[in-house]
Amino acid sequence: MTSQIEKLFQLVMNIVKVGIVKHYNPENHTAVVEFKDFDCVVSRELQIAETFTYQNKTYFPLREGQKVICLLLPQSGTTDGFIIGTVYDEDNQPPVKDENKFHVKFEDGTVLEYDTANHKLYADVKGNVEIEVSGHMSAVVKDDVLIKSSSQITLQAPAINLQNNSPTIGFLEGDFRIVGSLTVEGNVEVDGNLHATGSIIDEGGNTPHHTH
């Protein structure tokens, strides 16, 4: 009886192990793991468990040296099984220690974070951002919006409509250059000088002081 219990205990001990990724295969999304606490035994390529793998899919590659938890098949010893997760330790601490934050930090320094206490979504991208939308895109903001660039901002579309519900609030501040024709449906008031290199045509005949 004692011998059977010992065998069962040894079997359970061999099912779940903590190891270090020795090699990662990005094509198959598998990894070879070394178990240093078990005579440095090296596994075969283990499948990596993901949250979604069917119609909805996730893909998070592992890195060499990463500590992982493995679920091994009993009949294989320590060679076949699955990687079911990763863990932090004293040498590899979490990037944040706040129960209110959901945080993702990438190796290039890019950070995606949501703070449930302050209701704040934060993104710090160390590179370019590209968004492709095949349908309608809408953003409704209940406070101020600031778009700031150290270079230039380009809006490109067949038609661009700027609408303001209160005509006394909207304004353009700074120096602007319009390349092309400008048509205004309404009145134009100039608080300053008006300079034209061509003709100013008054079809209504309501400006007595201008000359052609």
Side-chain angles (χ1 to χ4, degrees), residues 50-205:
E50 285 282 358
T51 305
F52 301 105
T53 60
Y54 188 44
Q55 292 181 337
N56 300 315
K57 298 182 179 182
T58 57
Y59 179 86
F60 287 92
L62 299 181
R63 293 291 185 261
E64 293 183 8
Q66 189 168 359
K67 181 178 288 188
V68 292
I69 301 175
C70 301
L71 181 65
L72 302 173
L73 301 178
Q75 66 272 21
S76 69
T78 57
T79 57
D80 294 325
F82 309 91
I83 298 174
I84 59 175
T86 62
V87 292
Y88 291 111
D89 55 26
E90 294 181 356
D91 298 327
N92 181 30
Q93 294 290 312
V96 295
K97 297 181 180 180
D98 189 330
E99 62 182 7
N100 297 311
K101 291 184 177 181
F102 294 83
H103 187 98
V104 179
K105 182 179 181 181
F106 297 90
E107 59 187 345
D108 67 346
T110 294
V111 171
L112 301 176
E113 178 184 275
Y114 185 71
D115 188 335
T116 58
N118 296 310
H119 314 292
K120 181 180 179 180
L121 178 64
Y122 173 77
D124 182 4
V125 181
K126 307 299 183 182
N128 300 327
V129 177
E130 295 184 6
I131 301 176
E132 293 188 10
V133 181
S134 60
H136 176 73
M137 181 174 179
S138 176
V140 179
V141 182
K142 296 183 179 180
D143 208 332
D144 295 339
V145 176
L146 172 63
I147 301 176
K148 186 176 181 180
S149 172
S150 58
S151 180
Q152 67 178 11
I153 297 175
T154 302
L155 299 177
Q156 185 176 2
I160 298 176
N161 301 321
L162 300 178
Q163 298 179 352
N164 187 356
N165 293 331
S166 177
T168 61
I169 296 179
F171 63 90
L172 297 176
E173 182 178 356
D175 297 328
F176 295 90
R177 178 172 177 260
I178 298 176
V179 179
S181 300
L182 176 64
T183 301
V184 179
E185 295 182 3
N187 300 324
V188 176
E189 296 184 6
V190 179
D191 184 8
N193 299 322
L194 180 63
H195 174 75
T197 59
S199 300
I200 298 178
I201 301 174
D202 178 9
E203 294 183 352

